[in-house]
């Protein structure tokens, strides 16, 4: 098998799709288009196509296209040197990252991902719900305008929400509302955190019949006020979420979370134990190699409100938006503060060439559009939907006549400094 020593192999992968009901339908979905180009399997025009997975996770494995059909995970276990010594030493024969494309038509659940300690205990206690024992820091890179809820709003914004939304006060009670309004920046971080945790837990734990009644009042009030004034972005979002998930507690909880709008080319990263929900748009996503999700709102799936409310950091303030750093004239790098991954975006214009230098760790390349060649010891013609695994210590020259748009996921370059 060519390149099994980690010295220049570039291997095509057949990848996996997820058809969750929040995905874009049929040909509207970039995920569907990539999956069709990658596998040749026709698109079902009535089916949602939500996620395109590239990696070794058993919930959505990629396969090596080389002689016999074998999972990438099994192939790496047989040929561990393709990961490079640094990676094998730190993570064993596991590919440390999972690469995805998301096509989001409606909101995903309000969720968080456990840290390593919590993931290990959840997997041990409920292996059918929590499928692995790994943490899952992640980053979403916007392909289109991309909307998300992420992290808790600042103290100032929380106070505005309580003052202007009587339905929040109805759920958390007057005493807790007063407590929030009386907080100030001089109060200790821990005191503010405990009050926020208490209010968020009250909202997430409210009875179904109560939240249905409260949301009916909220939606009625906003629809009336919409005739008299311009609703805020958050209020317009609340109306949208309620149409997608009627009588769902996550609609009210959205007031406590930052509403983030990414432009194409911007990225958002999330550590363990941070609440978030992707709302709309298409993105490239990279994360530690895990599928652990703890959900508590905006979902028909299993919810674990108690664990979610107890695990969160309750850090407040708007999240950092990554705009990328220049690697060369055609390539931008997005480097979140996690060891497991980084993402490069490369847009090659007509009749141009660039080089991805040899690095001590593995990479996965995704061709998002166009056509070109990727050269190691020999040329590989690549086109939209192609996914390639590059072994550690592989220098790759990429060239195109017509233009090429590709992404690379790899282990964080900080690890090799």
């Amino acid at each position: 098998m060519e390149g099994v020593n980690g010295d220049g192999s570039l291997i095509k992968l057949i990848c996996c799709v997820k058809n969750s009901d929040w995905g874009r339908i049929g040909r509207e979905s970039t995920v569907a288009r990539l999956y069709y180009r990658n596998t040749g399997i026709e698109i079902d025009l009535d089916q949602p196509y939500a996620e395109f997975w590239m990696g070794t996770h058993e919930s959505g494995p990629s396969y090596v296209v080389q002689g016999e059909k074998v999972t990438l995970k099994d192939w790496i276990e047989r040929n561990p040197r393709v990961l490079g010594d640094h990676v094998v030493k730190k993570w064993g024969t596991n590919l440390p990252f999972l690469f995805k494309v998301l096509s989001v038509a409606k909101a995903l659940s309000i969720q968080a991902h456990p840290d390593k300690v919590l993931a290990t205990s959840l997997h041990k206690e409920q292996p059918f719900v929590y499928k692995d024992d790994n943490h899952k820091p992640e980053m979403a890179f916007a392909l289109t305008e991309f909307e998300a809820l992420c992290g808790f709003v600042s103290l100032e914004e929380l106070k505005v929400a309580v003052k202007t939304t009587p339905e929040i006060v109805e759920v958390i009670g007057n005493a807790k509302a007063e407590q929030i309004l009386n907080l100030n920046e001089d109060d200790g971080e821990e005191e503010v955190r405990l009050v926020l945790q208490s209010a968020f837990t009250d909202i997430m734990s409210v009875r179904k019949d109560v939240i249905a009644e409260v949301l009916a009042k909220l939606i009625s009030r906003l629809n009336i006020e919409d005739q008299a004034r311009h609703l805020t972005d958050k209020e317009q979002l609340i109306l949208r979420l309620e149409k997608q998930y009627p009588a769902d507690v996550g609609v009210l909880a959205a007031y406590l979370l930052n509403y983030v709008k990414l432009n194409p080319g911007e990225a958002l990263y999330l550590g363990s134990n941070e609440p978030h929900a992707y709302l709309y748009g298409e993105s490239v996503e990279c994360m530690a190699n895990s599928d652990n999700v703890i959900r508590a709102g905006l979902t028909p799936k299993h919810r674990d409100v108690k664990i979610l409310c107890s695990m969160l950091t309750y850090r407040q303030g708007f999240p950092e938006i990554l705009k990328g750093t220049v690697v060369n004239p055609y390539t931008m790098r997005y480097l979140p503060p996690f060891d497991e991954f980084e993402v490069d975006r490369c847009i090659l214009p007509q009749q141009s060439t660039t080089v991805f230098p040899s690095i001590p760790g593995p990479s996965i390349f995704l061709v998002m559009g166009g056509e070109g060649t990727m050269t190691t010891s020999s040329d590989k013609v690549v086109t939209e939907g192609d996914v390639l695994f590059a072994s550690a210590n592989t220098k790759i020259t990429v060239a195109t006549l017509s233009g090429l748009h590709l992404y690379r996921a790899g282990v964080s370059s900080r690890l090799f400094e």
Side-chain angles (χ1 to χ4, degrees):
M1 199 177 281
E2 182 203 353
V4 294
N5 293 321
D7 57 358
S9 63
L10 194 59
I11 291 165
K12 283 197 176 180
L13 302 178
I14 295 293
C15 300
C16 170
V17 77
K18 301 287 182 180
N19 302 101
S20 307
D21 66 354
W22 50 261
R24 291 193 174 187
I25 305 293
R27 291 206 177 103
E28 292 171 17
S29 170
T30 295
V31 164
R33 191 180 78 234
L34 292 170
Y35 181 63
Y36 166 66
R37 296 300 299 262
N38 181 262
T39 64
I41 296 170
E42 288 293 338
I43 297 168
D44 181 338
L45 299 182
D46 301 319
Q47 177 93 300
Y49 287 82
E51 300 180 79
F52 184 61
W53 284 33
M54 300 161 279
T56 58
H57 198 282
E58 61 192 25
S59 296
S62 296
Y63 291 85
V64 169
V65 185
Q66 230 185 34
E68 60 174 324
K69 189 178 181 186
V70 59
T71 66
L72 177 60
K73 182 180 173 66
D74 286 346
W75 184 80
I76 289 171
E77 281 176 356
R78 291 181 202 171
N79 306 292
R81 286 188 60 191
V82 298
L83 297 180
D85 294 342
H86 282 77
V87 172
V88 171
K89 192 173 178 184
K90 189 169 176 67
W91 290 290
T93 57
N94 291 315
L95 188 67
F97 58 86
L98 176 59
F99 202 22
K100 297 181 183 179
V101 179
L102 303 189
S103 289
V104 182
K106 69 173 189 175
L108 284 70
S109 51
I110 291 178
Q111 59 183 255
H113 306 300
D115 58 28
K116 191 79 172 92
V117 174
L118 181 57
T120 301
S121 68
L122 288 173
H123 177 61
K124 193 174 177 184
E125 290 160 19
Q126 303 179 65
F128 297 109
V129 178
Y130 302 105
K131 303 288 178 67
D132 57 71
D133 62 1
N134 201 10
H135 68 162
K136 192 188 171 188
E138 67 185 26
M139 176 173 70
F141 170 93
L143 294 171
T144 62
E145 287 187 355
F146 192 75
E147 298 176 30
L149 293 170
C150 173
F152 287 99
V153 296
S154 66
L155 181 54
E156 190 180 328
E157 203 176 326
L158 177 62
K159 287 182 179 186
V160 171
V162 171
K163 275 181 196 164
T164 59
T165 316
E167 296 82 8
I168 292 177
V169 180
E170 192 176 334
V171 170
I172 66 175
N174 287 315
K176 199 156 290 168
E178 281 302 316
Q179 208 178 353
I180 289 169
L181 295 175
N182 290 329
L183 286 169
N184 62 60
E185 301 297 344
D186 297 332
D187 291 314
E189 202 175 290
E190 183 64 8
E191 185 182 344
V192 176
R193 193 186 76 80
L194 289 172
V195 173
L196 175 59
Q197 177 172 8
S198 176
F200 184 73
T201 304
D202 285 352
I203 290 171
M204 297 309 289
S205 310
V206 73
R207 289 201 331 257
K208 282 184 178 178
D209 58 330
V210 174
I211 198 64
E213 199 177 304
V214 167
L215 287 178
K217 287 182 199 169
L218 171 61
I219 299 309
S220 172
R221 177 174 67 78
L222 290 180
N223 282 325
I224 290 165
E225 291 186 16
D226 193 23
Q227 308 304 311
R229 66 175 175 90
H230 187 67
L231 296 182
T232 66
D233 281 2
K234 179 67 77 68
E235 287 170 333
Q236 290 175 44
L237 174 64
I238 296 294
L239 290 176
R240 219 171 83 204
L241 292 177
E242 198 276 335
K243 279 187 179 143
Q244 294 174 4
Y245 297 97
D248 191 300
V249 68
V251 177
L252 192 63
Y255 274 109
L256 276 62
L257 303 174
N258 294 297
Y259 182 21
V260 181
K261 296 179 181 180
L262 298 180
N263 294 311
E266 294 180 335
L268 175 72
Y269 66 84
L270 298 145
S272 300
N273 305 327
E274 295 293 348
H276 60 283
Y278 296 149
L279 303 174
Y280 184 78
E282 299 193 289
S283 68
V284 167
E285 194 183 26
C286 200
M287 63 206 65
N289 190 14
S290 170
D291 193 31
N292 278 326
V293 181
I294 298 168
R295 301 176 182 87
L298 304 181
T299 181
K301 293 183 178 177
H302 173 79
R303 300 177 185 217
D304 207 328
V305 173
K306 194 174 173 187
I307 288 179
L308 185 93
C309 291
S310 67
M311 71 187 268
L312 299 177
T313 64
Y314 293 96
R315 241 195 310 270
Q316 289 178 280
F318 205 75
E320 182 185 0
I321 306 299
L322 297 180
K323 296 183 187 288
T325 54
V326 176
V327 176
N328 61 46
Y330 308 121
T331 307
M332 298 290 284
R333 175 161 295 163
Y334 297 79
L335 186 60
F338 313 123
D339 287 348
E340 285 88 349
F341 60 89
E342 65 186 19
V343 173
D344 290 343
R345 176 187 66 161
C346 178
I347 299 178
L348 276 182
Q350 291 181 348
Q351 297 186 319
S352 54
T353 301
T354 194
V355 172
F356 285 87
S358 169
I359 53 172
S363 300
I364 289 180
F365 287 86
L366 163 67
V367 181
M368 189 64 73
E371 186 176 321
T373 58
M374 294 178 71
T375 307
T376 53
S377 51
S378 59
D379 284 358
K380 263 193 170 59
V381 175
V382 293
T383 186
E384 178 185 63
D386 280 345
V387 179
L388 301 103
F389 176 87
S391 300
N393 309 309
T394 302
K395 177 185 171 185
I396 299 164
T397 303
V398 184
T400 180
L401 294 176
S402 58
L404 191 65
H405 182 183
L406 58 80
Y407 290 83
R408 181 194 74 89
V411 173
S412 174
S413 47
R414 288 196 194 99
L415 199 66
F416 308 128
E417 287 171 359

